[in-house]
Amino acid sequence: MPVHIECFIDPNNESDLISELLHFLQKKPGRSYINESNRHVLYTYDIPDAQDGSIVLRAVFNMMMEENGADIRDLDLVIADSPVKDVEFIFRLDKSQDGNEYYEAGCGDQHFLLETVNRHMINEDIEDTVQPAALSLFPFRYSIYSTLEDLKDDFAEEGMIFDFDDTFIASGSLLQREDPDETWSLFIGRIVSGTPHYLQIGDMLCGCVILQVQTAIGILPAIIPLNATEDIQPDRIISLFCDVKADLSAA
């Protein structure tokens, strides 16, 4: 159940926040969807900005109906109002589970790895198909740079040598990576904007910044901590090692 709240929450507060998210199932009804087999129930809860009430995130629960009751198969977060893209689901990765599927995917000639959300809103196999999906980025690591040379130097120090140029950065870049513990992709692009939010999640109040980032597949939202000290001014270069959430409720 990779919720990826470490993108914006202090690790010391992660368990408290997950508890508050789980309390959604008891405190208030969410929007629900039951798939054709009547085995999976999907609940969606809006997470608002505490100041203006605008919806910033959505929590999605995948519940499987068993003989003795419902079992939580997955809990995930997505960024609200994420742009919908036509995504080619090239092949399903072996680490996929019933409530949590992973794919190598593509938009145009760009390939990346993603995690599905609301998977059971589509009843058929989605491998080797094109589906509309709302994409959002949950980076477990990111860096912001003032210049292209700063980016090159930082990557060179880690032994990652790429032929970066201004055209490369202007159009964005996607590099997929897979390791035994996590499926992720590297997005490189430019910051368009950054909006701070205070989120009311149950009894907890926590902050975040929603970035809009120009990437190789268009402008996508990414979530980072509210107390980030980096300069997030527009046009700064950013690298994002992130989990890509593909919300299939857009289908």
Side-chain angles (χ1 to χ4, degrees):
M1 203 158 40
V3 189
H4 295 291
I5 57 177
E6 71 277 8
C7 296
F8 64 99
I9 290 294
D10 186 310
N12 293 325
N13 297 328
E14 284 189 28
S15 59
D16 291 338
L17 181 56
I18 290 177
S19 294
E20 290 296 339
L21 290 170
L22 292 172
H23 287 164
F24 279 163
L25 292 171
Q26 301 171 329
K27 290 184 177 180
K28 62 178 182 180
R31 295 188 300 280
S32 62
Y33 172 87
I34 303 175
N35 76 329
E36 286 183 359
S37 68
N38 292 321
R39 294 197 66 205
H40 289 273
V41 181
L42 304 173
Y43 289 100
T44 301
Y45 296 88
D46 293 337
I47 299 176
D49 184 296
Q51 296 176 314
D52 63 17
S54 61
I55 305 305
V56 180
L57 301 179
R58 292 191 171 93
V60 180
F61 292 85
N62 183 337
M63 312 285 291
M64 176 169 273
M65 307 308 295
E66 306 283 4
E67 290 184 2
N68 298 324
D71 179 38
I72 299 177
R73 289 302 175 92
D74 189 38
L75 163 60
D76 225 324
L77 294 175
V78 296
I79 300 173
D81 300 323
S82 296
V84 177
K85 305 286 184 180
D86 287 331
V87 178
E88 180 184 4
F89 289 79
I90 299 170
F91 66 84
R92 186 177 185 267
L93 302 180
D94 290 340
K95 67 177 295 182
S96 298
Q97 300 174 0
D98 182 57
N100 218 171
E101 290 189 346
Y102 299 87
Y103 288 84
E104 178 176 340
C107 286
D109 60 355
Q110 299 291 329
H111 284 203
F112 52 99
L113 303 180
L114 60 75
E115 172 191 354
T116 60
V117 181
N118 279 313
R119 168 65 183 91
H120 290 284
M121 281 193 171
I122 300 177
N123 292 294
E124 63 270 14
D125 186 4
I126 63 173
E127 187 174 40
D128 198 26
T129 70
V130 175
Q131 303 288 340
L135 300 181
S136 52
L137 309 180
F138 282 68
F140 56 86
R141 173 185 161 196
Y142 68 94
S143 297
I144 297 174
Y145 308 94
S146 297
T147 69
L148 184 58
E149 289 304 316
D150 291 340
L151 171 69
K152 290 180 179 179
D153 292 344
D154 188 29
F155 274 52
E157 287 181 5
E158 297 192 28
M160 301 172 70
I161 309 298
F162 300 110
D163 186 19
F164 294 123
D165 57 29
D166 289 334
T167 301
F168 181 92
I169 297 301
S171 62
S173 174
L174 302 179
L175 297 168
Q176 63 187 31
R177 289 287 186 272
E178 185 176 6
D179 63 41
D181 299 316
E182 188 65 71
T183 300
W184 54 273
S185 296
L186 167 61
F187 282 64
I188 300 173
R190 289 190 182 272
I191 295 173
V192 176
S193 64
T195 304
H197 295 280
Y198 286 95
L199 306 178
Q200 190 68 55
I201 303 178
D203 294 330
M204 286 187 67
L205 185 67
C206 55
C208 71
V209 174
I210 301 296
L211 297 178
Q212 299 295 327
V213 180
Q214 180 67 55
T215 76
I217 56 174
I219 297 175
L220 297 179
I223 185 169
I224 63 174
L226 183 64
N227 62 354
T229 58
E230 292 84 354
D231 187 348
I232 58 173
Q233 292 182 4
D235 211 37
R236 290 291 176 98
I237 299 169
I238 187 169
S239 64
L240 299 146
F241 295 80
C242 57
D243 180 36
V244 183
K245 305 290 185 71
D247 184 358
L248 291 167
S249 64

